[in-house]
Amino acid sequence: MARPQPAGTRPARPEDARGPVRPAGRRGPAVLPPTRPRVAGGGATPARTARAVDAPVAPAVLRRRRIVAVAVLGVVLGVLLGVLAGFAMPLGGAAAAPAPAGTTVTVVGAGESLSDVAGRVAPGSDADAVAGRIRELNELGGPDGSALTPGRPLVVPVPAAAG
């Protein structure tokens, strides 16, 4: 039977300070639990490695992996094709030329709008830029060209070769 000790004192032979205590009557080294030998390769034994590699994989898991691989490959190919298409052709197709600098006079046809006139007089140029230039040259007020009437003469920009 152990003797009670006063509060705040330590036992005479703490096991944590000097290791395990030998049983009374024994004179040999302390008996320690058996340990496995340490392996330099991280402890993976051939039996453990073979089990991990040869483990069968469920068909559903294989099917899921195949679907994910195909989806990832499709996304990568789509991005690659998009980048290549961006290099091959600029955004918005062929760049339209700005409004020509020269001017001439034309007559508005029946049912023509300002953008129709712009497309007719400068077919290779940007229609919005040409329409804006026509508004400036003729001092037209509204953005829709509502002041256009059939037969009205308009000063319009024209390419230098045609003028």
Side-chain angles (χ1 to χ4, degrees):
M1 183 169 204
R3 280 199 216 158
Q5 295 186 357
T9 61
R10 289 203 256 167
R13 295 186 61 186
E15 286 188 30
D16 60 343
R18 287 193 242 164
V21 178
R22 284 183 281 183
R26 292 228 172 172
R27 297 236 173 206
V31 179
L32 299 174
T35 59
R36 289 188 284 167
R38 296 189 183 244
V39 179
T45 61
R48 192 180 299 163
T49 305
R51 257 196 328 255
V53 171
D54 296 337
V57 181
V61 173
L62 291 176
R63 192 175 317 114
R64 208 172 311 134
R65 286 180 185 171
R66 196 174 302 126
I67 290 171
V68 169
V70 168
V72 168
L73 183 64
V75 168
V76 168
L77 286 176
V79 168
L80 183 63
L81 286 175
V83 168
L84 289 176
F87 284 129
M89 61 183 130
L91 292 176
T103 59
T104 188
V105 177
T106 189
V107 178
V108 178
E112 272 190 321
S113 67
L114 192 58
S115 58
D116 293 336
V117 173
R120 180 170 48 94
V121 297
S125 299
D126 182 23
D128 290 334
V130 173
R133 182 88 171 112
I134 293 172
R135 269 192 218 100
E136 290 174 17
L137 293 171
N138 296 287
E139 299 176 358
L140 297 176
D144 58 349
S146 57
L148 291 182
T149 55
R152 176 180 175 175
L154 287 178
V155 177
V156 294
V158 67

